[in-house]
Amino acid sequence: MKNKEIKKKELSELVSFFSFEKKDNNNAIYLVNISHLNSNQISILRKNFREENIKMKVVKNTLLKKVLEKNEKFNPFISVLNGNTTILYSKNKGNIISKIIKDFHIEEKSEKPYLKCAYFQESFYFGNKDLDFLMNIKSKEDLIMDILNILQFPMRYILLSLNSLNNNICSILEALIMIKKIKK
């Protein structure tokens, strides 16, 4: 009886997570394979993810498949549901997940955890080959900041030009006033 209640609870959590009807839903979802990692390595990963407020949850493929079938948006995830599956999800920190995974690969000299599939900024990415790409994707906030910085230079130039023009006009007016005074 308890086992059934736990499955129902897990199922309802996954359904609400993948429903994506709320505006504050997570914008980065990674499915990874952490098999062949020892408990110490998994503990290090969990700690690194927790520090960045990234959730990590091991799930059963059959349960996840049932949930994904209810939302067509996530159908690409279904094709990678084999073996060990762990979900990583975060709000506004999609590229941080890939940085943590990549750093772990370098530190541990291993290709695990293996990226099965990632959903970030309305796109899907498959396999470890896409980790570098995911690391370099800028968030919408970063792109806006870049645009503002790019626009800032021309605005400064325009303001300096206007200030210079203002000084030139003042100089011309002063010169005209002096000429007028001399003529009198």
Side-chain angles (χ1 to χ4, degrees), residues 23-180:
K23 287 187 178 190
D24 66 339
N25 262 312
N26 304 302
N27 68 350
I29 305 166
Y30 284 56
L31 298 184
V32 297
N33 181 343
I34 61 169
S35 64
H36 306 295
L37 293 179
N38 62 41
S39 60
N40 187 43
Q41 291 172 317
I42 293 172
S43 197
I44 290 168
L45 272 175
R46 282 188 186 278
K47 179 182 172 263
N48 291 342
F49 289 130
R50 195 176 320 113
E51 286 174 357
E52 295 294 338
N53 202 25
I54 297 165
K55 308 288 187 239
M56 181 176 173
K57 184 170 183 64
V58 178
V59 295
K60 295 187 183 244
N61 289 331
T62 52
L63 190 63
L64 184 56
K65 185 176 180 181
K66 286 180 184 179
V67 172
L68 293 173
E69 286 171 344
K70 294 179 181 183
N71 189 337
E72 287 182 21
K73 181 178 185 177
F74 298 107
N75 277 348
F77 278 141
I78 294 173
S79 66
V80 298
L81 293 181
N82 53 21
N84 181 301
T85 302
T86 300
I87 299 177
L88 302 168
Y89 49 99
S90 171
K91 295 179 183 178
N92 304 318
K93 291 190 176 186
N95 58 351
I96 300 293
I97 296 173
S98 54
K99 287 176 185 175
I100 292 171
I101 293 172
K102 192 68 172 179
D103 288 346
F104 187 83
H105 287 173
I106 293 167
E107 288 171 18
E108 297 293 323
K109 296 177 179 84
S110 169
E111 287 297 309
K112 296 285 184 168
Y114 182 79
L115 175 66
K116 291 180 167 189
C117 185
Y119 174 78
F120 182 52
Q121 292 187 349
E122 306 295 321
S123 297
F124 288 91
Y125 305 90
F126 296 89
N128 278 351
K129 65 181 174 19
D130 285 339
L131 278 176
D132 289 327
F133 182 75
L134 284 163
M135 285 174 35
N136 296 315
I137 292 177
K138 292 189 176 193
S139 68
K140 291 174 185 172
E141 293 80 15
D142 289 339
L143 289 174
I144 290 170
M145 290 303 294
D146 286 350
I147 291 169
L148 290 175
N149 285 333
I150 290 169
L151 292 175
Q152 195 174 29
F153 177 74
M155 293 302 267
R156 277 191 202 146
Y157 181 74
I158 291 169
L159 291 173
L160 287 173
S161 297
L162 289 174
N163 193 23
S164 175
L165 184 61
N166 186 25
N167 288 340
N168 287 345
I169 292 173
C170 287
S171 297
I172 292 171
L173 288 175
E174 286 175 2
L176 288 174
I177 291 172
M178 293 281 265
I179 293 172
K180 194 173 187 180

